[in-house]
Amino acid sequence: MADLKSFQRWIAEAAADLIEQADHLTELDRAIGDGDHGTNMARGFGRCAELAEHEEFGGIDAYLKKVGMTLVGTVGGASGPLYGTFFLRMAGPLSATADAGVFEVGQGLRAGVEGIVARGKAEAGDKTMYDAFAPARGNGRGGVHRRSGRRGGPPRLPGGGRGRGRGGRDATLPLVARKGRASYLGERSAGHLDPGAASAAILLRSAARALGADAR
Ligand code: ADP
Ligand code: MG
């Protein structure tokens, strides 16, 4: 369902959207941060989108690892290591497959989001990218996956394939930031969308399109 080419299409589409939205993301970061999030993301993902032109990848995992390392090396700020960790960790559950089904894609997303939490220590409601990513972590409780029959509450792309992270992004509006630069503003951070949650929603929307993870 999602092979190496699908993952490369994901990154290409995410890069195009992030570049298109760069001014908006920077505007959001100007309100409660230092105004670099759009340029950070456009630079990093722009570089990632070029990877496939210059290099052959042996598998989905090798590609995701390279994307992660590229982001760590090019995005900078707080979000660079966090997005880098997301892709490095996502590679794990996808190491044995050349064509990932909805379950494997979900497992990869969950591992990536857990990497963000391990690194940034954000909790739900801290007004960070994690608020947009949290639904992709799944609930970790029982349940049997419809198609694969496997247990473990398969994580899904947020919003049942409709919201795709936008609900989590929009929920950051009234929150007071408790992590990152915006937390220095205290109460004054309320009333603004979190820039990282906005970029995460863009990444998840393109994942839904390119990886077909919501095709059900
Ligand atoms: P910086 O704040 O260093 O300039 P960016 O502007 O690129 O970095 O990214 C800011 C975004 O990073 C925030 O909007 C927030 O979503 C995210 N962020 C910051 N700290 C954390 C953290 N500890 N955990 C999760 N996300 C975080
Ligand atoms: Mg910033």
Side-chain angles (χ1 to χ4, degrees), residues 21 41 52 54 63 72 74 88 102 117 123 137 141 143 151 160 187 197 199 206:
Q21 296 289 316
M41 295 298 284
H54 305 297
Y63 176 65
V72 169
T74 56
L88 289 167
V102 68
V117 173
E123 293 175 17
R137 193 180 188 184
R141 284 186 258 114
R151 294 201 155 268
E187 299 287 329
S199 58
S206 45

Side-chain angles (χ1 to χ4, degrees), residues 47-70:
R47 192 75 64 81
C48 289
E50 292 167 6
L51 289 172
E53 293 165 28
H54 305 297
E55 199 172 324
E56 295 278 323
F57 292 94
I60 293 169
D61 60 332
Y63 176 65
L64 292 175
K65 281 183 192 159
K66 186 66 183 236
V67 168
M69 287 184 306
T70 303

Side-chain angles (χ1 to χ4, degrees), residues 125-177:
D126 280 354
K127 196 182 182 95
T128 70
M129 60 172 73
Y130 178 57
D131 288 322
F133 274 124
R137 193 180 188 184
N139 60 19
R141 284 186 258 114
V144 179
H145 184 232
R146 247 190 305 139
R147 270 180 261 162
S148 68
R150 276 184 264 193
R151 294 201 155 268
R156 297 211 165 130
L157 283 169
R162 278 175 283 117
R164 295 162 192 156
R166 274 178 259 168
R169 174 198 66 190
D170 294 346
T172 65
L173 186 75
L175 298 174
V176 172

Side-chain angles (χ1 to χ4, degrees), residues 29 34 36-37:
D29 196 33
D34 57 354
D36 62 354
H37 192 60

